[in-house]
Amino acid sequence: MLVSRSDSAYHHGSLKPALEDAALDLMRTTGHTELSLREVARVAGVSHNAPYHHFGDRTALLKRLSERSMAELLDSLTRAQADLAPTDSPRAHLVAVGAAYIEYAARYPERFRIIYDPAVCVPGSPSAEMAPLIAAVEDILARVTSATIPTASRETVVALTTGVWGAVHGLAELVVAGHITLDETRPALAALLDPSADRGI
Amino acid sequence: MLVSRSDSAYHHGSLKPALEDAALDLMRTTGHTELSLREVARVAGVSHNAPYHHFGDRTALLKRLSERSMAELLDSLTRAQADLAPTDSPRAHLVAVGAAYIEYAARYPERFRIIYDPAVCVPGSPSAEMAPLIAAVEDILARVTSATIPTASRETVVALTTGVWGAVHGLAELVVAGHITLDETRPALAALLDPSADRGI
DNA sequence: AGGCAATGTGGACAGTGTCCAGATCAGGGC
DNA sequence: GCCCTGATCTGGACACTGTCCACATTGCCT
């Protein structure tokens, strides 16, 4: 059987996801940096060496958690976009996706932080599972950004897409780090993205 | 004597800064997360317990490194602003300060990362040395931002200041994480901050 | 039914942060 | 000048960690 737990306690049956879940749970209070493989095993009710048969390494577990988190973030963005009607303004789509990005970080700070930890995932050579997720997130941001500037040059679209990613990412990081609150990010994002705002020139 | 090393090897004379320097040096290759107190002591040529007489804790060392790094970042911003003539446009000042923020992160990724590690510095209750540094950075950003929108409302100034901080911070983080290059941040920042850019509306 | 690969166990080792007792030194009060 | 108090440094110890090893148990395929 593939999923169900065996009667004998010796073989867990589905240890790998159980370990991941235990790790995600522990991370909520410890952060991925202090996450201990042995404690994960303890929570999962298994010996301290069992994880090594599913993840060759502590870093391999962290990489997997990072991929799962990135998939969640991507899902949040796509659902935020899907929740809006096509008749809504392109700017509303952009703001909604950006807000979803920030809200995911605020809701799951440790998961958000592990996604972008250079010690876990090196974007220069991302894992086979991570690469398409990164590309998908960039794609969503590029789509909602370019829709707000239909007449702009290609260079401007690329530059603004990077800028939008940086803006929402930075606001998210500042919230996670505790420097600003989630409530402050809404007007900040609006002020940045709305060129019709009063900027004096 | 206050600074010079004693002849007797027993008392170092100025171990505290020596430990900090050794730690900063080690961090360049390991990152602050993997930084080992014992290795710091080894590099400083001292027993594994000597650091405890200058930093009560491993976290205390990291906090100190975080403060030193924040002071460096602040210095980079003020020098970037001072290098420009008062006759330069407010927008040039804003872009210069933002670029300096990102360039510091690109040059010293580990130092930049330790500044904003919530496990090291909790902005809710920052240390007595950290608090004024944070305030000073925010103040610089607020000044260069508000100068670009002299007729804007107070709320808009506050919102855009937060947005600018988020934008430069996010671009810096994306560079440090390896998702974008330093060269991509320039046009991204310009596209975000320049309302006269072609945005189609 | 038998054997093999997957999955689990306990033991061992080096490395780490931290506490403790004792050694060494510097400087101030007699 | 001398001693003594406090600051600084040392080595030893403990619990914990990641990782490797040999061995036990089990499910599955032939």
Side-chain angles (χ1 to χ4, degrees), chain A residues 41-77:
Chain A
R42 237 174 274 134
V43 168
V46 96
S47 98
H48 70 268
N49 263 329
Y52 280 85
H53 293 276
H54 300 275
F55 308 94
D57 216 288
R58 176 177 180 271
T59 307
L61 209 212
L62 296 183
K63 274 194 165 72
R64 173 74 183 122
L65 299 179
S66 160
E67 291 158 9
R68 273 183 65 165
S69 302
M70 190 56 147
E72 285 180 356
L73 173 59
L74 174 59
D75 195 54
S76 298
L77 301 190

Side-chain angles (χ1 to χ4, degrees), chain A residues 92-146:
Chain A
H93 277 85
L94 175 55
V95 170
V97 169
Y101 191 103
I102 298 171
E103 275 158 21
Y104 178 83
R107 196 188 317 255
Y108 305 106
E110 346 73 30
R111 304 192 191 185
F112 180 75
R113 210 132 212 294
I114 201 180
I115 293 175
Y116 289 99
D117 187 340
V120 172
C121 164
V122 184
S125 56
S127 71
E129 288 84 12
M130 189 54 125
L133 298 173
I134 296 173
V137 167
E138 291 182 9
D139 189 59
I140 286 192
L141 292 176
R143 285 176 189 278
V144 291
T145 300
S146 69

Side-chain angles (χ1 to χ4, degrees), chain B residues 10-12 15 46-49 53-54:
Chain B
Y10 199 90
H11 283 83
H12 185 286
L15 221 201
V46 96
S47 98
H48 71 269
N49 263 330
H53 294 274
H54 301 275

